[in-house]
Amino acid sequence: MDLLAIDPVAIQLGPLSIRWYGIIIASGILIGYLIAQRTAKKVGIREETLIDLIIWCVVMAIICARIYYVAFEWQYYSQHLAEIPLIMNGGIAIHGGLIGAFLTGFILCRMKGLSFFQIVDIVAPSIILAQAIGRWGNFMNQEAHGGPVSRIFLENLHIPEFIINQMQIDGIYYHPTFLYESLWNVVGFIILMLIRPHLKIGETFFAYLIYYSIGRFFIEGLRTDSLMLTEFLRIAQVISIVIIVVSILCIIYRRIRYNPSKFRDVKGYYHN
């Protein structure tokens, strides 16, 4: 680690290290939950309903995000099995986390007789905001960055000095792709909050998937640590394209087949 870089360990308690990575991700989840809970309350959904769902979804998201990452880096982890549980050092894949969270949410909603699409509409803006915050965990670990750039390039972005310093690794400056994605997601959060009342049930969720995937596709192309499907195909970019196409088709299908109500017109639990 360079002398000017931020120490990734926030608190050292004897042998126990509490890293900024974990603190930041936990903070993003908490802030996202508080925002989602506020929305749930406004539409008349009981507080405990969202709490139960989010606890299970967060746990499964973390587990699946790690499994996803390890699976595509198995050549390394097969030789370092003891490192598999060490997520505090980084190494989780957001697509794996989203798959785990949404599958868990779908199953739980079916078990509880809830509308999956109403629930994910409520939490979608919170998810993208939590992702925006969570990317700063990558910043602390000096990971998820792009290719080499000059210091002048970074200065011309008019970003704070502490970000420029943290982007210097072993004497080389890198694209702050974590920052690009964080800013993209913050804008996405604002957009989703503004358009959600005017969209039909389920469409805020699909709008989130489309918006996030567009940004992820282009930003992923700048990164140097991508999980690769082949020598030339980045997994995240392939998945992003698939998500965009499927989401658009789902919006069209649901409008034709179900013509769901607008989010703003639903008070209480949605049953259609």
Side-chain angles (χ1 to χ4, degrees):
M1 185 175 68
D2 291 288
L3 293 177
L4 293 175
I6 300 170
D7 189 342
V9 177
I11 304 171
Q12 187 72 48
L13 300 173
L16 177 64
S17 297
I18 301 177
R19 302 175 70 92
W20 283 113
Y21 184 84
I23 292 174
I24 291 172
I25 288 180
S27 299
I29 293 171
L30 177 60
I31 293 171
Y33 160 74
L34 293 174
I35 293 173
Q37 192 62 269
R38 182 179 179 184
T39 301
K41 184 178 180 180
K42 284 184 177 180
V43 301
I45 292 180
R46 292 191 302 271
E47 183 175 351
E48 59 269 21
T49 298
L50 207 57
I51 291 176
D52 291 343
L53 289 170
I54 288 179
I55 289 175
W56 280 106
C57 288
V58 167
V59 170
M60 292 307 300
I62 293 173
I63 293 172
C64 291
R66 185 59 171 176
I67 291 173
Y68 185 101
Y69 183 86
V70 169
F72 285 105
E73 292 287 344
W74 185 244
Q75 185 174 354
Y76 173 82
Y77 284 103
S78 63
Q79 305 299 317
H80 303 83
L81 296 178
E83 295 184 22
I84 292 178
L86 303 181
I87 63 171
M88 69 288 295
N89 295 331
I92 59 175
I94 187 60
H95 280 130
L98 293 176
I99 291 170
F102 292 140
L103 281 178
T104 302
F106 179 78
I107 293 170
L108 290 175
C109 284
R110 291 294 295 269
M111 292 173 60
K112 294 175 179 290
L114 301 172
S115 166
F116 170 75
F117 288 110
Q118 182 188 29
I119 296 298
V120 289
D121 275 358
I122 290 171
V123 302
S126 295
I127 293 173
I128 201 168
L129 180 61
Q131 289 175 270
I133 296 169
R135 278 302 177 197
W136 287 85
N138 298 129
F139 166 72
M140 292 296 186
N141 280 353
Q142 294 185 306
E143 62 187 6
H145 56 71
V149 295
S150 67
R151 181 180 177 88
I152 294 176
F153 173 86
L154 295 178
E155 291 174 345
N156 287 337
L157 294 179
H158 304 291
I159 57 179
E161 186 73 14
F162 76 93
I163 295 179
I164 294 176
N165 291 337
Q166 190 74 350
M167 286 297 97
Q168 181 187 190
I169 305 170
D170 297 327
I172 300 174
Y173 290 94
Y174 292 93
H175 263 296
T177 47
F178 87 92
L179 179 62
Y180 305 157
E181 186 169 328
S182 182
L183 293 175
W184 175 262
N185 290 346
V186 168
V187 173
F189 166 74
I190 296 171
I191 291 173
L192 291 178
M193 292 294 285
L194 290 174
I195 67 174
R196 179 170 58 187
H198 310 286
L199 298 179
K200 294 179 179 293
I201 292 291
E203 292 182 357
T204 303
F205 169 61
F206 291 120
Y208 153 70
L209 292 177
I210 293 168
Y211 179 90
Y212 172 72
S213 297
I214 290 172
R216 183 62 187 271
F217 178 86
F218 289 105
I219 294 169
E220 190 71 20
L222 298 173
R223 288 177 55 171
T224 59
D225 61 345
S226 300
L227 296 175
M228 304 299 290
L229 188 62
T230 68
E231 183 179 354
F232 303 104
L233 283 178
R234 300 169 189 260
I235 295 171
Q237 289 184 310
V238 174
I239 291 178
S240 293
I241 293 174
V242 171
I243 289 174
I244 292 169
V245 173
V246 171
S247 296
I248 293 173
L249 292 176
C250 285
I251 290 174
I252 296 172
Y253 172 78
R254 282 176 52 77
R255 285 215 171 195
I256 295 173
R257 179 70 175 82
Y258 300 107
N259 189 28
S261 302
K262 288 186 177 181
F263 184 87
R264 68 185 178 192
D265 295 332
V266 176
K267 301 300 178 184
Y269 294 89
Y270 187 65
H271 298 292
N272 186 8

